[in-house]
Amino acid sequence: MSVALFEPYTLRSLTVPNRVWMAPMCQYSAEITGPNAGVATDWHFAHYGSRATGGTGLILLEATAVAPEGRISPADLGLWNDTQKEALRRIAGFLKSHGTVPGIQLAHAGRKASTNRPWEGRGPYTGEACWTPVAPSPVEFDEGYPVPTELSVERIREITGQFADAARRALDAGFEVVEVHGAHGYLIGEFLSPHSNHRTDEYGGSFENRTRLALEVVDAVRAVWPEDLPVFFRISATDWLGDAGWTGDDTVRFAALLREHGVDLLDVSTGGNGGPAQIPAAPGFQVPFASRVRNETGLPVAAVGLITESDQAERILADGEADAVLIGREMLRDASFARRAARELGAETHAPSQYAWAI
């Protein structure tokens, strides 16, 4: 009997050895200031390397800023220069050498930029390295956050180019999947939602205008990314704000457009854009959004969110609700989640020879 969770999965010419993938999760552990700002450290090498030796099929590195002002915190990874690229090359190479597909998420934090690392207290960063965030509209994320600077059309187009430049560097560093971060209330998601986008020009108002930046970024990334390698897009399928925000219906409509623009898989999350959101968090609570996109548009999807058990993950795939699962916090708790799941389900996954007797 086959185990869906450990069947290979092919997108374009790339085959991922299994469907247990690691979700992008910020580590807030990059160099903070000076010429090495945004550069990956030994923490990142050990963190991602251990998940690769744990049998994970694909690892998406955390939100990696395409510009200095696009970092969520001063300690975020960046990919706006070649020093950052070379530090990431070592990580991508190690993942690949142990049978794991290396992927990276490219991001711009928008109005949620320049914040503290979570363990230092949530809210705006007030140190010497702080900066004023930018956004589609001059609307603060939440009480106590700064009013961001509204982006001009010229600056919007510069940011689109920064995503393309970062994608080129990611490719040169050895990554085989690139994901555009359009979720969780960061810049691209801010443009998508009427809750945060109050513009009246070609980037605001109608659905077509609010999705313009996202599609322009996808086009710019797809233009520099090889035709035979996949591009992912992460979305918050709903703001949990009803019609005042982005909705599940919007996501289905948008997913069809993303497919036309060359996106190969939608990474389906929810929330993060502020406001009076009531999020019914429970095991697998976001899976129905992924399932709906897959069934109504045919675009492959990855499900994420409180997926913690091997049989739960297997059921999602076996029932046709998703094409892969992205494991988040459970993989922080257990670097070898994939090997444990294979053992529990009677399947096999890759592991280094040094660990062979522990499979």
Side-chain angles (χ1 to χ4, degrees), residues 255-269:
L257 292 174
L258 289 172
R259 188 179 188 188
E260 292 174 7
H261 284 255
V263 167
D264 299 284
L265 180 138
L266 192 65
D267 170 359
V268 185
S269 188

Side-chain angles (χ1 to χ4, degrees), residues 173-234:
F175 291 95
E176 296 177 304
V177 173
V178 65
E179 177 172 272
V180 175
H181 195 355
H184 301 157
Y186 298 118
L187 186 68
I188 293 175
E190 292 165 18
F191 271 87
L192 293 176
S193 175
H195 173 71
S196 45
N197 184 348
H198 301 171
R199 299 176 74 98
T200 58
D201 63 5
E202 66 265 43
Y203 288 96
S206 68
F207 174 89
E208 290 76 13
N209 286 351
R210 286 184 284 109
T211 58
R212 189 180 306 277
L213 172 62
L215 294 176
E216 288 178 348
V217 167
V218 165
D219 288 345
V221 168
R222 187 75 265 181
V224 303
W225 198 249
E227 185 65 25
D228 63 339
L229 291 178
V231 171
F232 293 3
F233 190 97
R234 178 166 247 199

Side-chain angles (χ1 to χ4, degrees), residues 107-162:
H108 193 298
R111 66 179 183 168
K112 294 175 73 174
S114 192
T115 59
N116 289 318
R117 295 187 289 189
W119 57 86
E120 295 173 338
R122 294 191 177 274
Y125 178 69
T126 56
E128 291 183 9
C130 71
W131 64 94
T132 301
V134 298
S137 304
V139 180
E140 65 270 28
F141 169 65
D142 203 354
E143 185 177 348
Y145 284 74
V147 175
T149 299
E150 181 173 324
L151 287 164
S152 66
V153 170
E154 181 181 14
R155 280 289 294 122
I156 290 171
R157 290 172 182 163
E158 286 178 10
I159 289 169
T160 301
Q162 290 168 340

